[in-house]
Amino acid sequence: MEISFNGKPRELPQSISIQELLDQLQLDCLQVVVEHNRNIVTRQRLAEIHLHHGDTLEVIHFVGGG
Amino acid sequence: MQIKINEQNYTLDDHLSAGEVRDRIKADADLLIVNGFPVSPDTLLRDGDLLILIRRGEIPGADELDALLTARHTPGVHGVVKQSTVGIAGVGGLGSAIAIALARTGIGHLIIADFDVVEPSNLNRQQYFIDQIGMPKVYALRDTLARINPQARVTAAHLRLTSANLSEVFGHAQVLVEAFDLAEQKVMLVETFAARFPDRPIVTGSGMAGYGPANTIQTHRVAGSLYLCGDGATAAAPGTGLMAPRVGVAAHHQANAVLRLLLGCDPVSEKA
């Protein structure tokens, strides 16, 4: 299946969860904000939500400093 | 013609210059501002103009202050922003500069929250003073804001923001500014506020450490109503400090994004 990942098409295996995808990409869920189909997903739900063909996912990585 | 002079309505003869009106209303004024821009005394006034007359060095009374403080604003801005409430989470290098910019802009109500106290290593980039060392930052900043614009209402919350108290502290904020230091805290704030108030904009800062080019700091819309100001990459880390110039650039990107959102403009592009 194909999803839109940060604005670009990306091929993924069926029924992968957002958490599994973040793990594959070695992204620390404590430092990213995830928007799935235009809704911001809280950390607790990353493992529950499975991606489907045509989904839109934005992963915004934050760095420290302010 | 009908014109406003220092926020009072006047009906005057047509074809008068700013200098002629000055001589009648406030003869000792030496700064004449029409519709937000300083003009020479021979500038002719037109119906509907906003004229501000200022005598340099004079401290105005409270009734006139509001008009004089905003004399250089684009007309129409002040009426909107003085009705607005903005939340600022964290008042370190980003938040203190953002609060000052927004108070100068005439935002009616600022909610500022931070647990920290002013210490000497803050002074390389944060808008505090040596005589404020040891004070909770929110109270030190409240004092500074009152010296700049006493019309701006400031709610100062001296506490550690968590997912449990954040929505209560910022319940009245139309726009929330994220100005934390730690990436994990930035993420916590966005997740928590967006879950509670999905339609309210959040303006975050990420990537402003070091002394790389200022031009790499930009304002992006990264999700629905979530905006990110910074280069997105340069973290504060051993060997890469936080310094006033770049932190200031990012802070003022955030402040300008807030202003544009309050005025109904897109923070990222020219379209209204």
Side-chain angles (χ1 to χ4, degrees):
Chain A
M1 66 171 186
E2 188 179 285
I3 68 160
S4 168
F5 180 85
N6 287 356
K8 289 178 187 147
R10 189 179 194 103
E11 197 60 40
L12 291 177
Q14 284 295 331
S15 197
I16 185 174
S17 74
I18 297 175
Q19 184 67 61
E20 286 165 341
L21 177 60
L22 295 180
D23 291 344
Q24 274 186 20
L25 299 171
Q26 296 184 314
L27 287 167
D28 178 357
C29 73
L30 294 177
Q31 299 193 353
V32 297
V33 167
V34 176
E35 190 199 48
H36 175 237
N37 294 341
R38 307 198 70 73
N39 293 309
I40 289 176
V41 182
T42 53
R43 190 179 315 156
Q44 295 77 10
R45 300 199 58 224
L46 293 173
E48 299 167 15
I49 299 176
H50 290 258
L51 294 165
H52 297 281
H53 181 76
D55 279 2
T56 301
L57 198 69
E58 298 288 329
V59 176
I60 305 121
H61 181 237
F62 280 83
V63 300
Chain B
M1 63 179 170
Q2 299 269 349
I3 64 169
K4 257 190 185 178
I5 306 173
N6 292 8
E7 280 303 281
Q8 305 288 320
N9 290 307
Y10 287 82
T11 305
L12 299 171
D13 300 335
D14 288 349
H15 308 299
L16 286 170
S17 70
E20 287 169 321
V21 172
R22 181 260 322 266
D23 294 344
R24 290 188 199 181
I25 307 287
K26 188 176 171 65
D28 59 359
D30 54 5
L31 182 57
L32 288 63
I33 299 174
V34 175
N35 301 335
F37 196 75
V39 297
S40 66
D42 57 4
T43 303
L44 282 180
L45 296 176
R46 283 179 296 193
D47 192 52
D49 278 350
L50 307 172
L51 173 64
I52 299 287
L53 301 171
I54 293 175
R55 178 176 153 77
R56 286 190 172 90
E58 180 183 81
I59 296 182
D63 52 334
E64 258 194 336
L65 190 65
D66 205 30
L68 302 188
L69 284 177
T70 58
R72 294 297 301 272
H73 278 19
T74 304
V77 168
H78 188 53
V80 175
V81 297
K82 75 179 176 190
Q83 306 296 333
S84 303
T85 297
V86 175
I88 303 176
V91 289
L94 294 173
S96 61
I98 294 164
I100 285 174
L102 294 179
R104 289 193 193 281
T105 308
I107 305 297
H109 184 198
L110 295 172
I111 304 168
I112 56 175
D114 197 302
F115 67 90
D116 210 358
V117 299
V118 179
E119 46 91 357
S121 78
N122 299 147
L123 300 182
N124 81 325
R125 67 193 188 283
Q126 304 188 16
Q127 304 300 318
Y128 299 103
F129 302 95
I130 287 173
D131 59 16
Q132 293 176 325
I133 287 171
M135 280 180 83
K137 288 181 180 176
V138 288
Y139 300 143
L141 186 59
R142 185 176 61 186
D143 290 353
T144 301
L145 298 176
R147 293 177 65 192
I148 293 168
N149 181 3
Q151 310 283 335
R153 190 176 138 217
V154 177
T155 301
H158 182 220
L159 47 74
R160 191 178 286 275
L161 288 164
T162 66
S163 55
N165 63 19
L166 198 130
S167 296
E168 191 184 337
V169 171
F170 294 116
H172 294 288
Q174 295 161 255
V175 178
L176 183 60
V177 174
E178 176 283 306
F180 285 145
D181 192 26
L182 300 175
E184 292 82 353
Q185 290 288 303
K186 293 171 186 284
V187 170
M188 179 280 290
L189 176 137
V190 172
E191 286 182 356
T192 306
F193 194 77
R196 179 73 176 78
F197 305 108
D199 297 325
R200 297 198 205 168
I202 307 174
V203 179
T204 65
S206 181
M208 76 296 298
Y211 51 88
N215 284 349
T216 56
I217 290 172
Q218 295 189 324
T219 302
H220 297 281
R221 188 173 73 86
V222 287
S225 53
L226 177 63
Y227 297 88
L228 188 152
C229 302
D231 67 20
T234 314
T240 308
L242 288 161
M243 280 165 286
R246 263 181 130 240
V247 172
V249 172
H252 289 87
H253 266 263
Q254 289 183 272
N256 196 51
V258 170
L259 177 59
R260 287 185 63 79
L261 286 163
L262 294 176
L263 295 174
C265 304
D266 183 333
V268 180
S269 73
E270 284 285 1
K271 63 177 189 269

